[in-house]
Amino acid sequence: FSAVAAEAPRQRKKHETPRKRANKLMHHINQTHLSRQQRDFPEFSAGDAIEVVYQAGTRHVEKFRGVVLGKSNRGLGSTFDMVRYFKGVDILRKWQLYAPTIKEINIVRRRFVKGGRRVKRAKIYYLLDLPPSKR
């Protein structure tokens, strides 16, 4: 008769559910991937006029100029929204900040909205309701 040592049940930290453990693991993975990114984009915020140089096709490179309406910082899932007024129509575009198609981001002019004054909002979607002459 051989005595097999019975394993003690694994003790789990108080209030740590599988979902929380998964969230911590995903956060750790997200942070390691972010640290590996070699993207040096300039700091920009809502109200700045920027130009995004991106790869449209296999070799075709295009530029999109517009005003930043808002920015969402979520690690690798960070996004920013832009609007461009072209031939009487607003063109809205949402970009993934760490998308491989984005080659570079250039700041055309800081504080483009409100005549150079500081924008006091994080998201300035109210610009879409204003006529182009008032922007």
Side-chain angles (χ1 to χ4, degrees):
F1 179 82
S2 64
V4 178
E7 292 185 27
R10 206 172 85 172
Q11 293 296 321
R12 175 165 75 174
K13 290 182 185 177
K14 188 176 180 180
H15 303 301
E16 188 164 316
T17 62
R19 182 177 177 156
K20 281 191 178 187
R21 284 196 309 264
N23 282 344
K24 286 180 183 178
L25 179 63
M26 287 305 295
H27 177 72
H28 178 70
I29 291 171
N30 199 359
Q31 291 301 319
T32 55
H33 282 289
L34 257 179
S35 65
R36 291 181 188 164
Q37 288 285 335
Q38 298 297 325
R39 312 296 290 264
D40 292 329
F41 293 134
E43 287 293 322
F44 57 90
S45 60
D48 293 345
I50 65 172
E51 178 183 68
V52 178
V53 179
Y54 65 100
Q55 186 172 355
T58 54
R59 295 183 184 169
H60 188 66
V61 176
E62 289 187 11
K63 296 178 181 179
F64 187 86
R65 275 189 173 187
V67 177
V68 178
L69 292 179
K71 198 172 172 184
S72 164
N73 296 318
R74 299 201 183 275
L76 281 176
S78 298
T79 60
F80 61 96
D81 297 334
M82 289 178 65
V83 65
R84 176 183 182 184
Y85 188 72
F86 184 70
K87 293 186 179 179
V89 179
D90 286 332
I91 301 170
L92 292 169
R93 183 100 192 242
K94 187 168 205 151
W95 298 89
Q96 291 280 337
L97 187 60
Y98 294 103
T101 55
I102 294 181
K103 299 303 174 194
E104 83 183 273
I105 297 175
N106 301 319
I107 295 180
V108 177
R109 184 175 160 199
R110 292 199 183 272
R111 298 180 179 177
F112 182 74
V113 181
K114 297 179 83 173
R117 291 183 296 162
R118 186 171 70 93
V119 175
K120 297 181 181 180
R121 301 280 180 267
K123 309 281 192 280
I124 53 173
Y125 292 106
Y126 65 87
L127 286 180
L128 300 175
D129 297 335
L130 298 176
S133 61
K134 299 280 183 172
R135 296 180 190 173

